[in-house]
Amino acid sequence: MRPFQIIFNPTSAVELSKMPKELQLFILGEFRGLPQDMMRTDLEERFGKLVQQAGRTLHRLRLGDYRVYFERHDLGIVVHRILNRNTLKDFLFRSSLPTGEDEALQDNPKFWELI
């Protein structure tokens, strides 16, 4: 059996490091059974499937009040985000909405209609 790795990208590593140590240990502990689940081809049954973003299929692992967004990789999985499920960041990420700057908003005519 080849080695299985859980790779945190820079964004998810920062999100994890900002959490209390107990919560970090809980989240990391929940990855115990993942190697066996990742070998299956139908990840949608075990994990929620997020719409494809930039040619990648992201999956969602729910852990209490948090969602871990990841994709399958040759070495294991790559964790992209760890977000609290009751936040605007989580909603925007799931909805694939840009979280751009003010310039991006002002270019959208709908923005000006709302004001």
Side-chain angles (χ1 to χ4, degrees), residues 31 34 37-38 43-51 53 56-72 77-86 90-91 93-96:
F31 285 113
L34 284 181
D37 290 338
M38 288 296 128
L43 292 179
E44 288 80 21
E45 288 182 20
R46 167 87 164 83
F47 307 102
K49 179 182 176 185
L50 193 63
V51 294
Q53 293 182 339
R56 301 180 304 210
T57 302
L58 297 180
H59 300 278
R60 175 183 61 229
L61 174 61
R62 293 181 183 148
L63 301 173
D65 287 339
Y66 289 86
R67 290 188 177 112
V68 178
Y69 296 97
F70 67 93
E71 70 175 318
R72 192 185 322 206
I77 63 169
V78 176
V79 176
H80 290 281
R81 300 298 303 262
I82 304 171
L83 299 171
N84 188 310
R85 67 181 180 96
N86 297 320
D90 180 57
F91 172 76
F93 190 77
R94 281 185 295 116
S95 302
S96 302

